[in-house]
Amino acid sequence: MPHLNTDATRLNAARRARELDALRSGDGTTHVDLVVIGAGVTGAGIALDAATRGLDVLIVDAHDIAFGTSRWSSKLAHGGLRYLATGNVGIARRSALERGILMGTTAPHLTRAITQVVPVQDRYTGGQKTAPRVGFIAGDALRVAARTPSTTLPPSRTVSSRRVAELCPAVDTSDLRFGYVNHDGQLIDDARLVTALVRTAAGYGARVVTHCRAVEAHGHSVVLQDVLDEGSSPVTVSAGAVVNATGVWAGQLDPQVTVRPSRGTHLVIDSAAVGNPTGALTVPVPGHTSRFCFILPQQLGRCYVGITDEDLGTDIIPDVPDVPDSDVQWILDVVNQALAVDLTTDDVLGAFAGLRPLVQFTDGASDGEPTSTADLSRDHVILTGQDEDATLVTVTGGKLTEYRLMAEQTVDLVADLLRETGATPGPCLTTGIPLVGAPGSAGVRDVRPSDLAGLPASMVERFGHEAPAVLRTCPVDRPLEPVAPGIDTVRAEFAWHVTHEAALTVEDLIDRRSRIGLVDADRDACLATAQEILDAVG
């Protein structure tokens, strides 16, 4: 088993400058085994997998860690129930296996069991009343097959109407008969998972350079441009192989790929507006038995409500998708079916949309197009380039829960390509490697429950067993003071984001390392603190 260097997990502006200087000093002759373009969950997983196999890895991103789709998910580590309902047994089985690895080994500190609640109300059709229970039973079978213990994810069950109302206080009880309860995986935050992956990859030797765009990518070289210093000269790096892990933007580097993005929108509401639920209310979409909207309890006293599945087309793909009013109203109309109170646009504090990278294939229809993005496969694809670009590997599609498997399969292919040049990469090890902050991971093995007991619970949720170090090493004054009144993020957390998690801009701090920026008023309230800490320690 390779050794994790805890000092190397510190990512900051000085570290980035050293990495760029080292690349520039090669004057086009710097060589690495693998360049990974894209620091989302897939690229981060690939960098970690490759680094732990002994490869010299460079991961770059034009923006920031978890800038794109990876920060816009439902924050769920799905067991794949939806895919069972549509006949995709393979995806469902893989999802259950990967969920177990994520919750049991990789990131138990960043995941938890969430109680999914389906109210059985007279207003729904017979299929909508029975399909969830059948699906939950099938999900139990998947959990058992994946060897995920019931202590991690308890089995599903039928519960009383009273219990439904306890878990989801805003549910309409006028025609509520009973409910179904299931347990799935939930991430504390998707962007925090990606940050932990990148830092762990760095601890195993990967070089990390964010805010650095790949302006050209070939099978054996990339040309990089420092986005924070546009006047600087481009840097050329030679490589044994290059992986294009840019998600919905994969076609910009590999023209053989056509990605048809699907927009998934979530609304952000105050948890108090729906009675501070502890369970995730699951509401069927009218006319469907396998599509649902959810009210998901989240950190910072919020709930996320979603999700849509809207075709964005294949033309211009925005860096940050807009949320149209039609998405907002559609979500409200669906969830209000099950509520005793009517949520309105006045309850919506913020909204975000992520783009699912669905790879477009024809389905035999007369026009060669699927009827909707909901009909497109959620599976991933891994493609090699053509001719001289045969070592340019593109991976796209797939689901966040399966990131580790996607990474393993991609690096298996890269390893085969590199062996032709005499390299000797080792086997995949990521099923047994905990991320930074996980109990038992390097650097935190001496942390005891008593060391966590006196810290803010929200800090422990977000940093795991690194939380004591977040406070102990804080270089700014008033470390436990909130970054703004009423927000349960403290100054020490902002400082750690800068000194250890590669936060280089205010946007990195507010919008990705923390998720404060999802609500404009909260964002405005902590801007001054973010800038102060960035100036002080950045």
Side-chain angles (χ1 to χ4, degrees), residues 16 20 23-24 37 58 60-63 209-217 222-237:
R16 176 183 182 273
L20 274 173
L23 295 176
R24 290 191 183 100
I37 304 171
L58 167 65
V60 299
D61 196 283
H63 299 286
V209 184
T210 57
H211 297 280
C212 188
R213 185 181 303 279
V215 293
E216 290 183 35
V222 294
V223 179
L224 306 174
Q225 177 63 57
D226 183 354
V227 174
L228 300 181
D229 184 6
E230 294 284 7
S232 63
S233 299
V235 180
T236 300
V237 179

Side-chain angles (χ1 to χ4, degrees), residues 8 49 83 102 111 162 200 212 235 256 284 317 332 415 427 501 519:
D49 188 300
Y83 307 105
L102 182 63
T111 54
R162 179 178 178 179
T200 307
C212 188
V235 180
Q256 70 175 320
I317 302 175
L332 292 175
E501 295 185 345
V519 176

Side-chain angles (χ1 to χ4, degrees), residues 183-503:
H183 294 88
D184 211 342
Q186 184 181 37
L187 294 163
I188 300 302
D189 184 67
D190 43 12
R192 294 220 53 74
L193 172 67
V194 183
T195 301
L197 281 165
V198 172
R199 290 184 57 220
T200 307
Y204 284 105
R207 313 182 199 192
V208 180
V209 184
T210 57
H211 297 280
C212 188
R213 185 181 303 279
V215 293
E216 290 183 35
H218 307 285
H220 289 293
S221 67
V222 294
V223 179
L224 306 174
Q225 177 63 57
D226 183 354
V227 174
L228 300 181
D229 184 6
E230 294 284 7
S232 63
S233 299
V235 180
T236 300
V237 179
S238 72
V242 176
V243 170
N244 170 17
T246 55
V248 290
W249 300 280
Q252 296 177 8
L253 291 176
D254 187 347
Q256 70 175 320
V257 176
T258 300
V259 176
R260 186 176 170 191
S262 163
R263 185 180 63 242
T265 295
H266 291 85
L267 313 181
V268 184
I269 64 173
D270 190 327
S271 185
V274 284
N276 296 306
T278 55
L281 185 65
T282 305
V283 184
V285 173
H288 295 267
T289 58
S290 61
R291 282 193 66 194
F292 301 89
C293 278
F294 306 92
I295 299 180
L296 298 160
Q298 299 288 337
Q299 59 171 320
L300 300 172
R302 302 168 180 170
C303 284
Y304 298 160
V305 189
I307 184 173
T308 63
D309 197 334
E310 296 296 324
D311 187 5
L312 195 71
T314 59
D315 298 327
I316 299 175
I317 302 175
D319 283 348
V320 179
D322 292 327
V323 174
D325 292 341
S326 57
D327 278 15
V328 175
Q329 194 58 55
W330 183 87
I331 292 171
L332 292 175
D333 289 344
V334 172
V335 297
N336 278 337
Q337 297 176 92
L339 299 179
V341 296
D342 276 340
L343 294 176
T344 71
T345 53
D346 291 339
D347 295 301
V348 178
L349 304 179
F352 61 89
L355 301 179
R356 304 177 185 90
L358 306 182
V359 182
Q360 181 172 312
F361 296 102
T362 60
D363 63 355
S366 58
D367 60 359
E369 293 286 345
T371 56
S372 75
T373 49
D375 298 323
L376 286 174
S377 173
R378 262 52 177 176
D379 217 336
H380 60 275
V381 296
I382 305 170
L383 302 171
T384 55
Q386 304 297 318
D387 301 326
E388 68 272 10
D389 282 338
T391 51
L392 174 62
V393 178
T394 294
V395 54
T396 191
K399 309 166 55 257
L400 182 146
T401 310
E402 291 188 32
Y403 83 88
R404 193 212 62 81
L405 177 65
M406 294 167 62
E408 177 182 351
Q409 293 176 346
T410 302
V411 181
D412 281 347
L413 176 58
V414 168
D416 288 340
L417 294 172
L418 293 179
R419 287 189 187 101
E420 296 177 6
T421 66
T424 56
C428 177
L429 300 172
T430 52
T431 57
I433 291 180
L435 302 185
V436 291
S441 61
V444 297
R445 293 190 179 116
D446 295 333
V447 174
R448 298 161 297 182
S450 59
D451 297 322
L452 306 175
L455 299 175
S458 57
M459 179 188 290
V460 177
E461 280 190 341
R462 291 189 280 263
F463 296 91
H465 281 214
E466 283 192 312
V470 172
L471 187 58
R472 184 181 65 249
T473 64
C474 180
V476 299
D477 59 358
R478 309 186 309 282
L480 285 174
E481 181 180 294
V483 295
I487 295 177
D488 70 349
T489 300
V490 299
R491 290 165 58 86
E493 295 179 58
F494 270 16
W496 181 271
H497 296 325
V498 176
T499 59
H500 286 71
E501 295 185 345

Side-chain angles (χ1 to χ4, degrees), residues 126-155:
Q128 290 174 328
K129 292 176 183 177
T130 58
R133 185 67 184 118
V134 174
F136 288 170
I137 292 172
D140 288 339
L142 284 174
R143 176 188 60 78
V144 172
R147 299 183 178 180
T148 303
S150 58
T151 51
T152 300
L153 291 174

Side-chain angles (χ1 to χ4, degrees), residues 503-522:
L504 304 177
T505 69
V506 166
E507 291 75 19
D508 293 351
L509 267 177
I510 296 176
D511 297 331
R512 289 173 286 278
R513 300 304 177 278
S514 70
R515 306 314 292 274
I516 296 170
L518 289 174
V519 176
D520 287 344
D522 291 348

